[in-house]
Amino acid sequence: MSAEEIFEQRMRLGRLFDIYGSLLTAKQKQCLGLYFYDDLSLSEISEELGVSRQAVHDLLKRVEQLLERYEASLQVLAKEEALHEELHKAISLLAADDEAKKVEVVSLLQGLCGEGR
């Protein structure tokens, strides 16, 4: 796995933690908080929690799988990303001088708001 892929995976896991973190146990939240928000290494987290580095690694892997299962079921992140993409499309269309593009933006935004197109 390349450094870029590792970074992207870590960012995804952080976003999943932001979305589904309230569904985790206190220990899971604490461990992920130390990992993401405090940017501690596995060794530093193990010292903080009084467990082995391997235990921290295993916990992070289990929680990552759990967060991915939540996302597979609920699709909150996927919906957020789709909405973000549509909003960027609307911004691009609004930047154009073409009046027809502006009509397309109105239709796009009405669709995002649940109104008829």
Side-chain angles (χ1 to χ4, degrees), residues 7-114:
F7 177 75
E8 287 177 14
Q9 178 60 24
R10 185 176 167 133
M11 293 300 295
R12 176 178 170 78
L13 185 56
R15 292 181 69 201
L16 291 174
F17 179 44
D18 288 342
I19 294 169
Y20 301 112
S22 62
L23 300 174
L24 301 176
T25 67
K27 185 155 190 144
Q28 291 169 333
K29 283 190 267 191
Q30 181 184 18
C31 187
L32 258 68
L34 292 170
Y35 186 69
F36 284 110
Y37 301 132
D38 297 340
D39 199 28
L40 298 184
S41 69
L42 299 184
S43 297
E44 292 169 323
I45 296 169
S46 71
E47 287 177 25
E48 181 81 23
L49 299 179
V51 298
S52 71
R53 183 187 177 285
Q54 185 64 45
V56 171
H57 178 268
D58 292 346
L59 177 63
L60 288 173
K61 285 297 171 189
R62 279 193 315 273
V63 171
E64 179 179 1
Q65 292 170 351
L66 180 61
L67 293 174
E68 288 292 351
R69 282 197 309 267
Y70 289 150
E71 176 59 15
S73 295
L74 302 172
Q75 298 286 305
V76 173
L77 181 59
K79 290 172 187 171
E80 180 182 295
E81 288 172 343
L83 176 61
H84 194 256
E85 190 175 306
E86 291 293 310
L87 290 173
H88 274 288
K89 182 179 177 182
I91 289 168
S92 295
L93 291 169
L94 284 171
D97 287 334
D98 187 350
E99 196 61 37
K101 300 256 187 221
K102 293 183 183 352
V103 171
E104 187 178 344
V105 170
V106 170
S107 177
L108 176 68
L109 293 174
Q110 286 173 333
L112 292 175
C113 293

